[in-house]
Amino acid sequence: MTGDSSMAPTAESVDDYLAAHDEDGALAAVDAVISAAMPGASRVLWRGVFWGGTEQAIIGYGDIEQPRPRGKSVAWFLVGLARQRNHLSLYVNAVEDGRYLSQTYGPELGRTKVGAASIAFRRVEDIDLTVLDLMVRHAGRTVGWST
């Protein structure tokens, strides 16, 4: 990675990570929707220091080359899912018509806080899983996957 992030894919099992870090089942519920909406896409645990300097573990779905404003493109994921201290985060690295899909779908998802490519929510019950499915399938289509 370039810039402020040193995130890298690991060989760790996503299922083992979920078993150890998902006491309330929220990660597994969202993981199931994303996995179903992106059949055949990679599902990899990324670890490292994310933008802003925080240590992170992110489940990344779908391999992409992410263009960087300065420098060459980097390997990244199309959709990511992470547990933060007080919320869960979705990262949607898909753009259509110059706008991140997180901004397009965020208001329809429910009780969320939407950033440029991120969506934060406290509990899985706060989001509409049907809208999540639509957003993830749409993200796949932006990179040529027919989902």
Side-chain angles (χ1 to χ4, degrees), residues 33-69:
V33 172
I34 296 170
S35 294
M38 296 177 66
S42 63
R43 181 174 169 258
V44 176
L45 188 66
W46 290 67
R47 286 192 183 270
V49 178
F50 200 44
W51 314 114
T54 58
E55 186 74 26
Q56 295 281 321
I58 302 173
I59 303 168
Y61 307 83
D63 299 323
I64 62 169
E65 286 292 316
Q66 180 82 9
R68 303 298 337 145

Side-chain angles (χ1 to χ4, degrees), residues 113-131:
K113 180 179 178 187
V114 178
S118 65
I119 300 167
F121 55 98
R122 292 197 180 275
R123 305 171 311 140
V124 71
E125 294 83 9
D126 290 341
I127 62 170
D128 184 327
L129 296 178
T130 301
V131 175

